[in-house]
Amino acid sequence: MYSEKVMDHFQHPRNVGEIENASGVGTVGNAKCGDIMRMYLDIDDNGIITDCKFKTFGCGAAVATSSMATELVKGKTIEEALKVTNKAVMEALDGLPPVKVHCSLLAEEAIHAALWDYAEKNGIKIEGLSKPKSDISEDEEEEEY
Ligand code: FES
């Protein structure tokens, strides 16, 4: 049911934890299952994401997608990090079962929420970033994969 990569990231998740005084922190929840994800980003003066950690109160697919998402955004610019969509994360994991797609949205939303927090703290606007929703359950039926 799960790819080897999903199992690997689930059993050995990368970048679990917190960053003290992080540049941006985002917390999102999925109303459908009640799972919660918190993402911490450290961003340097050049807009490069130097570190990324996450904590989740979520299922195995949420753990695996968040783990992969943190690996994908590390070392990237903010603009590049915005392209790390749940689809990109799922591709990097060699796919997820359809019923688990909503779990991958949690990681994407958490990155966006952390970037939004960073932008607010610094009084800047990030092109292409809209205010994160804390409830992502409404969108998932409309998404196509
Ligand atoms: Fe809730 Fe996976 S079942 S995030």
Side-chain angles (χ1 to χ4, degrees):
M1 179 172 173
Y2 290 113
S3 73
E4 266 174 42
K5 282 189 190 164
V6 172
M7 288 311 290
D8 178 32
H9 278 264
F10 168 55
Q11 282 165 338
H12 311 283
R14 288 36 156 201
N15 309 309
V16 174
E18 294 177 27
I19 298 175
E20 243 179 87
N21 302 318
S23 310
V25 183
T27 308
V28 294
N30 186 324
K32 197 171 185 178
C33 59
D35 290 350
I36 294 167
M37 173 84 53
R38 181 167 294 157
M39 193 72 80
Y40 301 81
L41 297 177
D42 254 346
I43 301 170
D44 72 8
D45 294 342
N46 299 317
I48 307 285
I49 297 170
T50 53
D51 201 7
C52 179
K53 293 213 183 301
F54 79 96
K55 276 186 146 181
T56 184
F57 192 75
C59 72
V63 171
T65 47
S66 306
S67 168
M68 180 55 95
T70 57
E71 292 275 273
L72 291 176
V73 299
K74 240 197 225 183
K76 296 253 162 77
T77 63
I78 292 169
E79 288 69 30
E80 287 166 343
L82 281 176
K83 294 191 189 113
V84 178
T85 59
N86 76 307
K87 220 175 157 191
V89 173
M90 283 195 295
E91 273 166 21
L93 285 170
D94 295 336
L96 273 179
V99 294
K100 287 288 172 187
V101 168
H102 76 275
C103 314
S104 65
L105 283 167
L106 218 46
E108 178 189 315
E109 286 283 326
I111 291 170
H112 288 185
L115 287 173
W116 184 266
D117 181 47
Y118 165 76
E120 281 209 315
K121 279 183 182 154
N122 290 278
I124 57 169
K125 200 178 173 310
I126 298 173
E127 204 63 46
L129 180 67
S130 48
K131 196 169 175 13
K133 294 165 281 171
S134 55
D135 174 0
I136 58 171
S137 66
E138 280 161 25
D139 279 351
E140 63 206 33
E141 261 88 41
E142 292 149 32
E143 303 266 1
E144 276 180 21
Y145 300 101

